Amino acid sequence: MSDKISIRAGMKQALSKLSKPIYEDYSYKIACRLYQEKVWNEAQVIGITVSKPPEPDTYQIIRKAWEAGKQVAVPKCHSRDKQLTFRTLTEFSQLESVFFGLYEPREEMTNEVIADRLDLVIVPGLAFSTDGFRIGFGGGYYDRFLSRYSGNTLSLAFNEQIMDELPAEDHDIPVQCIITPDRILKIR
Ligand SMILES: Nc1ncnc2c1ncn2[C@@H]1O[C@H](COP(=O)(O)OP(=O)(O)OP(=O)(O)O)[C@@H](O)[C@H]1O
Ligand SMILES: [Mg+2]
């Protein structure tokens, strides 16, 4: 547990050193790799976070999904029970700033998409291991969500975010695939 805290802090520090040109270059390369993937091309409904630097940019991926006629659903965190729900997003103006500068869908402008309808969920994280384990931002929101989700999962990461090993707890659920600017790790 304390390991996770120090890994989060170290990773935030390392990622804060990425310059804007490098951040854009890596994010673009990750996105281009994603568009070659069968799970992306076959997915009609995609669950995806609205990125906040230093996470790889997802705005360009959301635009690409809209252009391809896919339905985009973005997460909303419910702090009371630490649950995550996904809601439709058809334009960026449907987002509002909540805590920590995160953007979430406005409830009055969007509709809930139940987990069963999501063909692919792009799972955020700070650090990833080559066997698909993940250290997120510490809320356990995605672990709770993934425990009742059986569709496809995938994460986007800069090379700097991949580690040989990570401490995992019983509730941690690995992702099926990790895409970096240089490679694709297929976990199963
Ligand atoms: N399925 C679950 N049921 C109950 N509690 C859970 C579950 N998953 C995670 N938690 C709790 O959430 C807390 C945070 O978990 P963890 O440190 O793994 O977060 P994280 O993976 O960084 O966050 P996230 O999943 O949002 O990316 C832990 O205290 C853990 O016990
Ligand atoms: Mg976890």
Side-chain angles (χ1 to χ4, degrees), residues 99-166:
F99 41 82
F100 307 128
L102 284 176
Y103 287 106
E104 290 195 342
R106 288 179 187 271
E107 279 186 293
E108 71 281 13
M109 297 174 94
T110 59
N111 298 308
E112 185 170 346
V113 178
I114 58 165
D116 290 353
R117 290 211 46 232
L118 299 167
D119 300 316
L120 170 66
V121 171
I122 298 184
V123 182
L126 267 172
F128 299 90
S129 65
T130 47
D131 53 359
F133 281 96
R134 188 181 63 83
I135 290 187
F137 291 84
Y141 285 91
Y142 271 87
D143 285 315
R144 280 187 198 80
F145 175 79
L146 293 174
S147 71
R148 57 185 176 82
Y149 174 71
S150 55
N152 297 311
T153 59
L154 177 157
S155 290
L156 313 173
F158 299 126
N159 292 313
E160 291 77 354
Q161 291 175 277
I162 309 291
M163 305 177 73
D164 288 338
E165 262 190 327
L166 283 180

